[in-house]
């Protein structure tokens, strides 16, 4: 018995020191990595950042430390992007939509009704097209590692149930700081106002805007149900998040250090998508319990919305380039036929 326990202990000790030892043999220096994000800690975004941090610390034998800073405490997406480009901050996760001003190809993901399912999004984002768009960031001073799921977006407001496009008439709607979103909701007749996410809750609370659109997860984790009565299930677009690194800083890392970050980013992506989908699956029921009035759009009304929104496709195609646009359509057609 004693021997058995000792053997067990020895195995545990070996296991405990094996990982740090492996890290020791690698070219890894002590690093403090500031990782900013916009949602709060108890959100799908916050949970995945936490997992990423744990993975990085473990794989680097505790040498690489992530200082996770949420709730836009380092500023909204656009401000953090500039800090990464300048080298004042190492990492962040944020919306691809807020990157369009830097890398126009990112607008591809803002195409209304581009994906019919999360599965399609995974295939395109993780495939050659997603990689191509991500690589475009490099010439602007950013390195993209992985896409996470923000999710299919749905509409909330404090004025009325939106059951058809016409109900959007005159509704002051916050949109992300992005021309495709601005144009899309203007096309639908809303009074679209671009605002950073960090200002959204108070804008809704003070009725500076009537509504907004985001995935169920965010409506829940950011407590928008406290200031929004109506939720219309529109699924009008799938939004990715993207984990980015300051290229200035990245270029100074060893191959081993880069690998630690790449591996952890992939693990965080897989975790985040699972977690987000699981939460989204029960979020609607939660939002109902919190008092939101939820309505679905009829297939006919969804089709009308979709038709109207195809008007923005031409300008997206012109922005991202016709080749990329056509490749994307072809990849989707192939997926759908298979
Ligand atoms: C939005 C996005 C947010 C992101 C996030 C703060 O509405 O959906 O999830 O910007 O990085 O702004």
């Amino acid at each position: 018995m004693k021997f058995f326990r000792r053997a067990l202990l020895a195995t545990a000790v070996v296991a405990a020191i094996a990982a740090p030892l492996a890290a020791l043999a690698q070219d890894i220096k002590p690093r403090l990595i500031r990782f900013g994000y916009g949602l709060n800690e108890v959100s799908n975004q916050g949970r995945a950042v936490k997992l990423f941090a744990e993975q990085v610390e473990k794989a680097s034998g505790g040498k690489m430390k992530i200082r996770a800073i949420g709730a836009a405490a380092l500023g909204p997406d656009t401000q953090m992007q500039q800090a990464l480009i300048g080298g004042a901050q190492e990492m962040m996760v944020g919306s691809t939509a807020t990157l369009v001003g830097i890398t126009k190809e990112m607008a591809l993901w803002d195409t209304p009704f581009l994906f019919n399912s999360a599965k399609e999004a995974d295939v395109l984002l993780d495939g050659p097209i997603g990689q191509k768009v991500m690589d475009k960031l490099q010439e602007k001073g950013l390195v993209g590692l992985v896409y996470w799921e923000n999710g299919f977006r749905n509409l909330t407001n404090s004025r009325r149930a939106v059951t058809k496009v016409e109900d959007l008439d005159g509704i002051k709607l916050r949109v992300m700081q992005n021309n495709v979103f601005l144009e899309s909701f203007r096309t639908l007749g809303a009074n679209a106002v671009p605002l950073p996410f960090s200002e959204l809750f108070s804008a809704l609370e003070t009725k500076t805007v009537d509504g907004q659109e985001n995935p169920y997860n965010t409506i829940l984790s950011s407590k928008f149900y406290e200031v929004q009565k109506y939720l219309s299930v529109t699924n009008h677009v799938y939004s990715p998040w993207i984990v980015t690194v300051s290229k200035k800083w990245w270029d100074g890392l060893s191959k081993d250090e880069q690998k630690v970050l790449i591996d952890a980013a992939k693990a965080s992506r897989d975790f985040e998508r699972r977690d987000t989908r699981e939460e989204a699956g029960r979020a609607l029921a939660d939002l109902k319990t919190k008092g939101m009035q939820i309505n679905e759009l009829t297939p006919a009304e969804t089709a009308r919305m979709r038709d109207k929104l195809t008007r923005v496709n031409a300008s997206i195609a012109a922005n991202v380039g016709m080749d990329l646009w056509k490749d994307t359509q072809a990849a989707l057609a192939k997926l759908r036929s298979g």
Side-chain angles (χ1 to χ4, degrees):
M1 191 60 191
K2 219 178 197 174
F3 168 79
F4 187 63
R5 232 188 269 156
R6 236 186 252 158
L8 251 183
L9 189 68
T11 322
V13 169
V14 169
I17 57 177
L21 273 183
L24 213 66
Q26 293 177 322
D27 183 6
I28 296 176
K29 291 193 183 67
R31 304 268 183 193
L32 182 64
I33 304 160
R34 284 158 295 185
F35 191 124
Y37 61 100
L39 300 197
N40 53 51
E41 240 176 88
V42 278
S43 64
N44 53 341
Q45 203 176 47
R47 289 189 293 273
V49 172
K50 188 159 177 270
L51 180 117
F52 175 79
E54 288 163 1
Q55 297 282 317
V56 168
E57 298 214 19
K58 201 161 91 191
S60 66
K63 285 192 191 164
M64 296 169 79
K65 290 208 159 51
I66 303 285
R67 182 178 291 165
I69 305 158
L74 292 177
D77 286 5
T78 49
Q79 193 179 321
M80 290 196 283
Q81 289 153 11
Q82 293 307 323
L84 260 62
I85 291 169
Q89 182 184 327
E90 290 75 27
M91 293 189 73
M92 66 173 286
V93 62
S95 182
T96 54
T98 52
L99 275 169
V100 171
I102 293 171
T103 295
K104 58 185 188 334
E105 287 82 2
M106 285 287 164
L108 182 62
W109 315 125
D110 303 327
T111 308
F113 297 102
L114 182 66
F115 301 131
N116 289 337
S117 66
K119 178 91 211 348
E120 286 187 1
D122 290 355
V123 173
L124 269 275
L125 289 163
D126 298 346
I129 291 176
Q131 191 62 49
K132 196 171 179 182
V133 173
M134 196 182 260
D135 288 346
K136 286 277 171 200
L137 291 169
Q138 297 229 8
E139 59 206 56
K140 300 294 164 80
L142 295 168
V143 178
L145 295 186
V146 282
Y147 294 101
W148 286 359
E149 173 155 295
N150 187 351
F152 282 99
R153 304 178 79 88
N154 292 291
L155 198 78
T156 69
N157 82 94
S158 55
R159 299 261 306 266
R160 58 179 99 100
V162 173
T163 60
K164 53 183 186 307
V165 174
E166 287 72 16
D167 294 333
L168 276 169
D169 236 20
I171 285 193
K172 249 191 167 180
L173 190 81
R174 176 271 179 175
V175 293
M176 290 189 279
Q177 295 153 293
N178 168 297
N179 280 332
V180 179
F181 275 86
L182 201 59
E183 209 189 322
S184 293
F185 282 98
R186 284 191 176 152
T187 301
L188 295 180
N191 180 0
V193 193
L195 270 184
F197 185 83
S198 49
E199 285 169 33
L200 181 50
F201 187 91
S202 80
L204 293 169
E205 192 175 32
T206 57
K207 300 252 160 65
T208 306
V209 295
D210 303 313
Q212 64 89 42
E213 40 86 55
N214 254 301
Y216 299 145
N217 307 67
T218 300
I219 299 168
L220 194 60
S221 65
S222 289
K223 297 192 161 51
F224 291 160
Y225 55 80
E226 288 182 354
V227 286
Q228 298 277 274
K229 176 76 185 167
Y230 305 100
L231 192 163
S232 306
V233 180
T234 49
N235 289 314
H236 50 273
V237 68
Y238 176 97
S239 277
W241 280 325
I242 186 168
V243 176
T244 49
V245 190
S246 159
K247 186 166 189 303
K248 246 188 196 167
W249 179 74
W250 178 260
D251 289 345
L253 296 179
S254 72
K255 285 276 162 290
D256 289 336
E257 289 166 335
Q258 291 180 350
K259 187 169 182 306
V260 166
L261 296 179
I262 290 169
D263 290 348
K266 285 187 178 148
S268 73
R269 172 191 65 197
D270 298 344
F271 165 82
E272 195 271 349
R273 285 180 182 161
R274 248 184 290 121
D275 178 56
T276 298
R277 285 162 199 177
E278 200 215 302
E279 183 184 46
R282 42 187 167 75
L284 207 51
D286 285 358
L287 290 169
K288 238 180 237 170
T289 313
K290 305 271 187 206
M292 288 195 93
Q293 188 181 312
I294 296 159
N295 72 279
E296 309 251 347
L297 253 62
T298 63
E301 282 307 326
T302 305
R304 279 184 71 222
M305 183 179 280
R306 206 180 171 131
D307 272 1
K308 280 207 177 71
L309 285 172
T310 54
R311 270 185 231 160
V312 302
N313 287 358
S315 71
I316 299 173
N319 250 302
V320 305
M322 210 29 108
D323 286 347
L324 182 60
W325 178 264
K326 283 189 177 151
D327 288 351
T328 306
Q329 296 303 328
L332 284 168
K334 195 172 159 222
L335 250 184
R336 287 167 191 167
S337 74

